[in-house]
Amino acid sequence: MNATAKEKLITVTGLEKQFGGVPVLCGIDVEIDRGDVICVIGPSGSGKSTFLRCLNLLEKPNGGSIVFEGDELTDKKTDVNRHRQKMGMVFQQFNLFPHMTVLDNLTCAPVMLKKFTKEEAEEKAMTLLARVGLADRAASYPNQLSGGQKQRVAIVRALCMEPDVMLFDEPTSALDPEMVGEVLDVMKELAESGMTMVVVTHEMGFAREVSNRVIFLDEGVIAEEGTPAEVFGNPKSERLKSFLSKVL
Amino acid sequence: MSWFAKLHETFIATGHYKLILNGFKNTIIITLGALLIGVVIGSVIAIAKYFSEGVPSLKVVDVICDFYVTVIRGIPVVVLLLIFYFIVLTGVEGVPVAILTFGINSGAYMAEVVRSGINAVDKGQMEAGRSLGLSKMQAMRKIVFPQAIRNILPAIGNEMIALLKETSVAGYVAVVDLTRAGNLVRNNTFDAINPLMLVALVYLILVVGLTRLLKVFERKLARSDKRN
């Protein structure tokens, strides 16, 4: 595949979501190409996380369409589980499985879904663990790890399924400040390796430096989007200007 | 007659110790069998309720589970035992009927215990499993349920103690359990104190033993929680 040729990975059209009648997303249109690193920013309550969670149907959209690798995800006949294998997700609260060792956390889904044999999965897991500098923690349990280590394990857990896109839901928001860097470094390396990423974040430095597109969500709509240079250097809307003045 | 001579006469000379031993055996068998059935029924109901929650097409499952729990919890276990022995399973021996009845009864209580255990597992665990591509059932089996069981082990222990003592009404359907055996010895020997005190003591020892065992178990779990 030619790296410069754009290949559509996810096409979101008119995405709507309400919680108990309260609109959270009011018609979102986004195209995500393979290799994109998209940061979603915005004030709290703007629908950033909901948008991300709709992409892999952890939240069921009330309207609109999500086409992933040519398949309409909102169609009832679509096998969501199969598609989710291709969409890794990293949560704010890590959500590692506390009753399993780090290695079991990484291998349980690929082995259960018969994507790899146990041996293959363990080999892959160890390689990836080494890449994030945690090979020596394979036999540890999640609660023996620091927050930063947990989140790196969570990233590796998603990568073990060899996803085509990685969704990050405020991956550093629950971390102590001194641990944010180690997680962002892993994400940066992942982005540089060509992984398609959608990142909901408050880390404006990361958004500016790593992403190729920034989406500013406000009150359930995309208020502004563009390259980091456009969004951060030359914000057009008043809402974005006032948001940036508060967070930068 | 000295107390020891009396004991000898009541239990040994008359061969009544065999009756007591047999009763003890039956009490243990009924308790363990019923516990097993109870845990299985409880888990199935709790998981079925979890899956049917908020799914209109599975509303009937939810209603059936609620009906089961309501009816079983609303009927005294002795009445249930009599119904099963004399109406539902006529011709079946007392011990199997007792195992089944106490199991079904315990299952209703266990269902609530397991359900609370499942609800206590963080919602993010299911989401993490689903986001990896696991089906709801796979995520339940591998991720949520094992954690739920860990949460409720102490409660299951309590249920086991309650169950052990509940089985003392098995005599209603011609089962010679520990209680009935003691009562039979009292009847045969006109010695009320010794057989009944013995029976009481055996239950007490069993319950204290179980409680100790549970404490050890809980400490072990607490240690592994720290490890985790």
Side-chain angles (χ1 to χ4, degrees):
Chain A
M1 193 208 323
N2 187 339
T4 52
K6 288 203 168 173
E7 186 198 344
K8 270 183 209 138
L9 194 62
I10 307 176
T11 307
V12 180
T13 331
L15 182 66
E16 283 175 27
K17 175 71 187 173
Q18 293 112 35
F19 286 115
V22 179
V24 178
L25 299 176
C26 320
I28 306 269
D29 302 297
V30 183
E31 292 226 334
I32 300 165
D33 298 320
R34 207 176 279 276
D36 268 351
V37 177
I38 295 177
C39 279
V40 183
I41 61 171
S44 62
S46 60
K48 307 183 296 288
S49 287
T50 307
F51 164 69
L52 196 74
R53 290 162 58 84
C54 279
L55 289 182
N56 68 352
L57 261 56
L58 280 184
E59 303 292 352
K60 281 212 175 70
N62 298 107
S65 116
I66 301 165
V67 176
F68 174 62
E69 298 184 331
D71 289 313
E72 173 60 63
L73 292 190
T74 56
D75 190 336
K76 277 209 173 71
K77 277 171 266 169
T78 309
D79 180 5
V80 183
N81 294 333
R82 193 165 58 81
H83 289 292
R84 280 191 182 134
Q85 295 182 26
K86 292 276 143 208
M87 308 173 112
M89 183 149 191
V90 176
F91 299 86
Q92 183 177 354
Q93 299 296 339
F94 327 126
N95 293 350
L96 292 178
F97 309 134
H99 59 304
M100 298 181 193
T101 62
V102 166
L103 191 61
D104 288 338
N105 263 278
L106 305 183
T107 58
C108 97
V111 172
M112 236 181 152
L113 296 166
K114 302 204 168 61
K115 189 171 169 65
F116 297 116
T117 65
K118 195 164 166 42
E119 290 71 32
E120 287 167 352
E122 283 181 359
E123 201 188 315
K124 182 162 183 59
M126 289 310 296
T127 310
L128 286 167
L129 268 185
R131 240 173 71 188
V132 300
L134 290 173
D136 56 328
R137 306 314 300 266
S140 305
Y141 282 84
N143 285 8
Q144 294 171 306
L145 306 178
S146 71
Q149 290 174 329
K150 280 183 203 170
Q151 197 59 300
R152 282 185 280 160
V153 170
I155 293 172
V156 170
R157 179 174 68 181
L159 289 176
C160 279
M161 289 301 293
E162 298 189 333
D164 292 336
V165 58
M166 286 281 283
L167 312 175
F168 292 85
D169 189 2
E170 301 196 24
T172 58
S173 298
L175 296 176
D176 289 340
E178 75 265 32
M179 289 170 184
V180 170
E182 64 191 62
V183 171
L184 290 182
D185 284 345
V186 169
M187 291 169 61
K188 202 169 147 188
E189 200 187 307
L190 195 59
E192 281 159 4
S193 75
M195 175 62 76
T196 312
M197 293 163 61
V198 184
V199 186
V200 170
T201 188
H202 292 294
E203 296 292 332
M204 297 303 150
F206 178 86
R208 195 198 298 247
E209 199 184 329
V210 181
S211 68
N212 66 334
R213 198 137 53 94
V214 177
I215 291 174
F216 174 61
L217 269 188
D218 189 37
E219 292 178 357
V221 294
I222 296 182
E224 200 160 336
E225 76 173 296
T227 64
E230 288 165 358
V231 170
F232 293 111
N234 186 21
K236 292 182 197 77
S237 65
E238 278 310 310
R239 280 188 292 187
L240 178 54
K241 276 180 201 162
S242 93
F243 174 72
L244 289 176
S245 72
K246 281 178 204 137
V247 294
L248 286 180
Chain B
M1 202 179 343
S2 78
W3 184 51
F4 286 104
K6 180 86 180 159
L7 275 187
H8 185 267
E9 191 194 299
T10 304
F11 294 113
I12 311 292
T14 45
H16 280 132
Y17 71 93
K18 286 186 209 147
L19 195 65
I20 298 279
L21 278 177
N22 191 48
F24 178 76
K25 189 191 80 189
N26 279 340
T27 289
I28 298 293
I29 288 174
I30 294 170
T31 303
L32 291 180
L35 187 76
L36 191 69
I37 294 175
V39 169
V40 171
I41 291 180
S43 302
V44 168
I45 290 185
I47 291 173
K49 269 192 82 79
Y50 181 87
F51 276 82
S52 59
E53 213 169 10
V55 183
S57 58
L58 292 176
K59 181 90 182 121
V60 61
V61 177
D62 197 54
V63 170
I64 290 172
C65 290
D66 280 345
F67 180 76
Y68 175 88
V69 173
T70 307
V71 167
I72 298 300
R73 286 209 299 191
I75 299 176
V77 70
V78 179
V79 178
L80 215 55
L81 195 62
L82 292 172
I83 290 174
F84 270 90
Y85 188 69
F86 290 108
I87 304 173
V88 183
L89 297 169
T90 41
V92 181
E93 270 188 63
V95 173
V97 172
I99 291 176
L100 193 68
T101 310
F102 288 117
I104 286 172
N105 182 62
S106 173
Y109 293 90
M110 217 61 106
E112 292 298 294
V113 170
V114 177
R115 205 163 64 89
S116 72
I118 289 174
N119 287 342
V121 175
D122 187 77
K123 214 168 94 263
Q125 293 290 309
M126 177 55 90
E127 288 185 347
R130 298 305 304 277
S131 78
L132 288 163
L134 299 180
S135 70
K136 207 170 177 186
M137 197 64 211
Q138 285 171 322
M140 171 56 73
R141 200 175 75 222
K142 188 85 180 173
I143 295 160
V144 177
F145 195 66
Q147 295 184 57
I149 288 295
R150 278 175 71 119
N151 292 345
I152 58 172
L153 272 175
I156 290 182
N158 276 338
E159 177 61 23
M160 191 168 168
I161 288 171
L163 189 57
L164 171 72
K165 294 190 293 175
E166 250 171 32
T167 60
S168 61
V169 297
Y172 272 94
V173 293
V175 172
V176 180
D177 71 319
L178 183 59
T179 305
R180 182 96 192 284
N183 203 30
L184 284 175
V185 175
R186 176 195 60 76
N187 202 34
N188 294 350
T189 59
F190 302 105
D191 173 6
I193 289 187
N194 291 316
L196 295 184
M197 285 301 142
L198 176 72
V199 166
L201 193 66
V202 172
Y203 278 115
L204 185 63
I205 290 170
L206 280 175
V207 170
V208 169
L210 266 177
T211 311
R212 285 256 169 99
L213 212 64
L214 279 173
K215 281 246 169 72
V216 172
F217 216 62
E218 267 176 62
R219 261 206 296 277
K220 257 192 150 158
L221 271 184
R223 251 210 304 279
S224 72
D225 274 342
K226 247 176 258 158
R227 177 203 68 188
N228 278 3

